[in-house]
Amino acid sequence: MSLDTQMNSLGFAKPPAETRVVVAMSGGVDSSVVAAKLAEEGYDVVGVTLQLYDHGAALAKKGACCAGRDIHDARRVAEEMGFPHYVLDYENNFREAVIDEFADSYLGGATPVPCIRCNERVKFKDLLETAKDLDADCMATGHYIQRKMGNAGAELHSAADPTKDQSYFLFSTTQAQLDYLRFPLGHLASKDETRALAAKYGLGVADKPDSQDICFVPNGDYAAVIEKLRPGSAMPGDIVDSDGNVLGTHRGVIHYTIGQRRGLGIGGLADPLYVVKLDVAAKQVVVGPREMLATRRVPVREINWLGDGGFADQKERQIAVRVRSTRPPTDAILRPISDTEAEVELVAAEQGVSPGQACVFYDPQSTRVLGGGWIWRGA
């Protein structure tokens, strides 16, 4: 290799035309722009779309990714930009790796985040292996997150636009996956720039609305999906206070989440009450005042560490964490217990911390994502 060989925009020391990149295309504007941009730059682009569920089934919904209209839109972008496009049937994989666990977690009283499992177990695992089988140098996606090179290799960083940042959903990306992945949109200042690029390339999806986070949940009705997947799971029971006093009845624990206030059906009380615990075994929804939701200690397991060195070798350290995708990072102390477990102590108490949600670690001095894990019991 010549010393004056320049790196292309994807980080390879060869011309774009000699660099094959598989683009994961959901049919939305983000991944379509990534594919079109790389094709225009002269890369050897191969578009791949995963059909993750039957778009004719009751689980489908308007505006979802990876089914029906979206597959058609992805194919059309490939035709317009002149690169090959393949649709792979991953319906069984998706059900086994994502949907079944989603249902079981809800039945266990947790609040799962299936989008993280989809990235971890399907898109960045099965699809990534497919990209390698196609002899691709890398795989690119439309996620809003940044990959930067550090002293020890590729690092994961939050997106430049905090309102579109998807780092919460990508914390479980492994170092090996990160070495192979590329995120061409992470540096953009706003979604408006993405839509402007779509218009520049003449893409029909330029004004297409964003897809919802959970693609297979119609109208955000989680309970309806659970009842379809696990018939008979919505068993009625009591709504009780922290002392066990019965305040009312419920239609099934799966209809409730930690922190919920509305829809409890126990009006007429002096002070508002919130769901503070879901006791699946007793079929009870436990409610209490808002202050009962506050917690500072968060047990975390299944940790994926992207910081320097091994996780178990880390000392107690100050970090920033997000315990929900909708909340900004907050100051915390990380205390490793093993290679995959830790206790996180929040400097300021958070309300509604729920088992099944992710706890994502950030470097408080930069935009770097240090990894994260899963909140695993009532905190």
Side-chain angles (χ1 to χ4, degrees), residues 35-247:
K37 180 177 185 293
L38 295 175
E40 187 191 54
E41 292 176 6
Y43 286 96
D44 178 9
V45 173
V46 178
V48 177
T49 300
L50 301 182
Q51 180 173 318
L52 298 181
Y53 53 91
D54 179 1
H55 58 271
L59 293 183
K61 70 175 186 175
K62 183 178 180 181
C65 71
C66 308
R69 179 71 189 182
D70 298 291
I71 293 175
H72 169 76
D73 288 343
R75 182 180 292 115
R76 185 176 60 174
V77 169
E79 291 174 351
E80 291 171 351
M81 298 304 298
F83 58 82
H85 174 258
Y86 302 97
V87 178
L88 304 180
D89 182 359
Y90 272 56
E91 191 173 334
N92 290 336
N93 300 52
F94 186 65
R95 175 177 284 274
E96 294 171 3
V98 179
I99 296 182
D100 283 345
E101 182 184 76
F102 171 83
D104 293 339
S105 294
Y106 251 97
L107 290 176
T111 307
V113 191
C115 302
I116 297 175
R117 291 303 197 192
C118 180
N119 290 324
E120 172 189 333
R121 297 176 176 178
V122 181
K123 293 177 181 176
F124 289 177
K125 181 177 179 289
D126 296 336
L127 179 53
L128 190 144
E129 289 304 315
T130 297
K132 291 181 177 179
D133 289 342
L134 291 170
D135 293 325
D137 293 284
C138 64
M139 186 174 88
T141 80
H143 289 107
Y144 286 89
I145 195 165
Q146 298 186 82
R147 175 187 184 275
K148 298 182 178 181
M149 294 305 297
N151 294 331
E155 299 176 352
L156 203 61
H157 286 254
S158 300
D161 178 4
T163 68
K164 298 300 295 182
D165 175 55
Q166 292 176 291
S167 59
Y168 183 86
F169 300 100
L170 297 172
F171 83 85
S172 61
T173 305
T174 67
Q175 187 63 53
Q177 291 167 345
L178 184 58
D179 291 339
Y180 192 71
L181 290 163
R182 300 294 187 275
F183 309 105
L185 302 184
H187 69 286
L188 298 183
S190 73
K191 182 62 175 273
D192 290 340
E193 290 189 40
T194 304
R195 295 197 181 278
L197 285 171
K200 170 188 171 183
Y201 300 133
L203 304 182
V205 296
D207 296 320
K208 186 174 181 177
D210 291 342
S211 62
Q212 299 299 310
D213 282 340
I214 302 180
C215 60
F216 58 90
V217 179
N219 305 313
D221 190 350
Y222 303 143
V225 173
I226 304 305
E227 289 184 277
K228 179 178 178 62
L229 295 168
R230 302 288 188 271
S233 59
M235 300 293 291
D238 293 329
I239 299 177
V240 302
D241 63 19
S242 58
D243 294 322
N245 299 308
V246 177
L247 304 179

Side-chain angles (χ1 to χ4, degrees), residues 181-376:
L181 290 163
R182 300 294 187 275
F183 309 105
L185 302 184
H187 69 286
L188 298 183
S190 73
K191 182 62 175 273
D192 290 340
E193 290 189 40
T194 304
R195 295 197 181 278
L197 285 171
K200 170 188 171 183
Y201 300 133
L203 304 182
V205 296
D207 296 320
K208 186 174 181 177
D210 291 342
S211 62
Q212 299 299 310
D213 282 340
I214 302 180
C215 60
F216 58 90
V217 179
N219 305 313
D221 190 350
Y222 303 143
V225 173
I226 304 305
E227 289 184 277
K228 179 178 178 62
L229 295 168
R230 302 288 188 271
S233 59
M235 300 293 291
D238 293 329
I239 299 177
V240 302
D241 63 19
S242 58
D243 294 322
N245 299 308
V246 177
L247 304 179
T249 59
H250 64 76
R251 296 175 295 140
V253 172
I254 63 173
H255 291 275
Y256 301 85
T257 58
I258 301 297
Q260 180 177 334
R261 174 186 172 188
R262 300 184 184 279
L264 300 180
I266 50 173
L269 300 175
D271 298 312
L273 296 177
Y274 301 77
V275 176
V276 298
K277 181 181 178 182
L278 298 173
D279 190 334
V280 177
K283 300 184 181 125
Q284 290 183 336
V285 173
V286 184
V287 297
R290 185 180 180 88
E291 53 265 26
M292 285 188 67
L293 288 170
T295 186
R296 289 183 58 197
R297 295 187 182 276
V298 183
V300 183
R301 65 181 180 184
E302 291 185 60
I303 288 172
N304 178 57
W305 180 247
L306 290 172
D308 298 331
F311 182 68
D313 298 329
Q314 302 297 311
K315 305 296 184 183
E316 177 178 306
R317 61 183 291 178
Q318 291 186 331
I319 60 170
V321 301
R322 290 168 74 179
V323 292
R324 281 193 177 177
S325 63
T326 54
R327 296 180 182 175
T330 185
D331 291 337
I333 299 171
L334 176 65
R335 298 189 178 97
I337 297 173
S338 70
D339 286 335
T340 58
E341 291 185 298
E343 180 185 76
V344 170
E345 181 180 350
L346 305 174
V347 173
E350 288 267 356
Q351 295 180 334
V353 176
S354 175
Q357 295 282 300
C359 180
V360 182
F361 310 153
Y362 298 85
D363 179 355
Q365 306 301 322
S366 71
T367 59
R368 187 177 180 185
V369 182
L370 298 175
W374 297 94
I375 302 168
W376 66 276

